[in-house]
Amino acid sequence: MIEPVQLPAPWRDARLTVVVPTYNEAGNLPVLVERLLALPLPGLKVLVADDNSPDGTGEVADKLAIEHPDRVEVVHRAGKEGLGRAYVDGIGRALDGGAEYVAQMDADLSHPPEALPGMLGALLSTQAGVVIGSRYVPGGQLDEAWPLYRRALSGWANLYVHTLLRVRIRDLTAGFKIWRADALRDIGLDRVQSNGYSFQVEMHYLATKLGHTILEVPIRFEERRDGASKMTTATKIESALMPFKLRSRHRNIEG
């Protein structure tokens, strides 16, 4: 576990909301929230967007919100509609709640919460609209336990999307990042239509088209320790088709 960066005031007091979509993450969520709230970021809040998890994740989230009433919020969604829809809902609520910065991260502990202060510092010290915690820039790492087929799929997906969309981001499918609120408002969540993991690609593509600076910083990506991956065949098909749809859907957007 890395040691979190100590940011100077007023940076450490920034209103940062971490949006965490969940589906069957009852075992991981308490650990993640504990690590997030332990960070030297007193302005950090956690917003859990749960898709009616059958394993009781929503109830676990409610207990965490009771324990930390000013720092944890829960959005209960009707059912499993996909990662993208959960993020659109959660990010929209974070912006409506006054967040200056919004972070995205998975609930499965694959993203190191302790990297967030450094990522926030990188965002605040530059003109970037978003900072990505990247597996594929120098210094980035993948857990040795990550299966070979997952490595191959991730590498192929990034190459495939790079070739079709020509977006200069090494980790195009990354799900760990911090956005400026004004960049998110400029993108417009109503524009985003992806349901699954291709949500990440669509957001990066829109940010690029609109001229926002995107900065990648290295992280170590861990294999999940509890629960199962949510990657399905339908999700893979959507991700494969999405670059073609994005080029058509957003062809008239310019920064």
Side-chain angles (χ1 to χ4, degrees):
M1 189 180 298
I2 64 173
E3 192 70 25
V5 171
Q6 298 288 330
L7 296 177
W11 288 7
R12 63 171 171 259
D13 299 316
R15 296 195 304 274
L16 169 65
T17 297
V18 183
V19 177
V20 182
T22 56
Y23 187 77
N24 287 350
E25 296 289 357
N28 290 319
L29 186 61
V31 179
L32 175 62
V33 170
E34 180 182 5
R35 288 169 65 179
L36 284 169
L37 297 185
L39 295 175
L41 298 173
L44 180 149
K45 294 184 178 180
V46 182
L47 191 154
V48 179
D50 184 66
D51 276 5
N52 196 22
S53 299
D55 75 339
T57 302
E59 289 80 1
V60 171
D62 284 338
K63 291 178 181 178
L64 291 167
I66 292 171
E67 293 171 9
H68 309 282
D70 297 323
R71 302 195 69 187
V72 177
E73 179 182 354
V74 185
V75 176
H76 292 282
R77 293 164 44 78
K80 190 176 182 183
E81 299 177 6
L83 183 73
R85 296 303 91 199
Y87 264 131
V88 166
D89 193 353
I91 291 172
R93 290 171 187 259
L95 293 175
D96 290 344
E100 299 174 293
Y101 309 95
V102 179
Q104 297 174 229
M105 68 186 306
D106 293 345
D108 62 5
L109 304 177
S110 59
H111 301 142
E114 293 74 22
L116 278 172
M119 292 168 63
L120 180 60
L123 186 72
L124 292 170
S125 61
T126 66
Q127 297 301 311
V130 58
V131 171
I132 296 172
S134 176
R135 299 163 288 185
Y136 301 129
V137 293
Q141 297 178 315
L142 287 171
D143 190 333
E144 294 79 4
W146 217 40
L148 183 59
Y149 80 91
R150 291 285 303 278
R151 292 171 182 261
L153 179 62
S154 177
W156 176 85
N158 273 279
L159 176 62
Y160 173 75
V161 177
H162 272 294
T163 302
L164 291 175
L165 298 182
R166 303 191 180 280
V167 178
R168 293 184 177 180
I169 302 173
R170 293 200 181 193
D171 199 346
L172 265 166
T173 58
F176 187 31
K177 65 200 81 170
I178 299 181
W179 296 88
R180 291 184 186 270
D182 57 359
L184 289 167
R185 292 191 180 98
D186 188 36
I187 288 171
L189 295 174
D190 57 323
R191 281 192 179 123
V192 182
Q193 298 183 31
S194 302
N195 292 327
Y197 290 86
S198 57
F199 168 82
Q200 314 292 5
V201 174
E202 185 167 14
M203 290 291 286
H204 295 153
Y205 184 60
L206 285 167
T208 300
K209 291 271 286 183
L210 290 165
H212 292 284
T213 299
I214 299 172
L215 179 65
E216 292 183 85
V217 299
I219 64 157
R220 176 178 170 82
F221 183 88
E222 300 285 347
E223 174 65 311
R224 68 160 53 242
R225 296 293 182 257
D226 185 69
S229 171
K230 311 304 186 299
M231 182 71 72
T232 64
T233 300
T235 300
K236 293 174 185 176
I237 292 172
E238 184 206 13
S239 298
L241 295 176
M242 186 52 61
F244 298 99
K245 293 181 180 180
L246 292 181
R247 289 196 304 188
S248 174
R249 180 185 302 158
H250 303 310
R251 62 183 178 274
N252 296 322
I253 295 176
E254 295 182 4

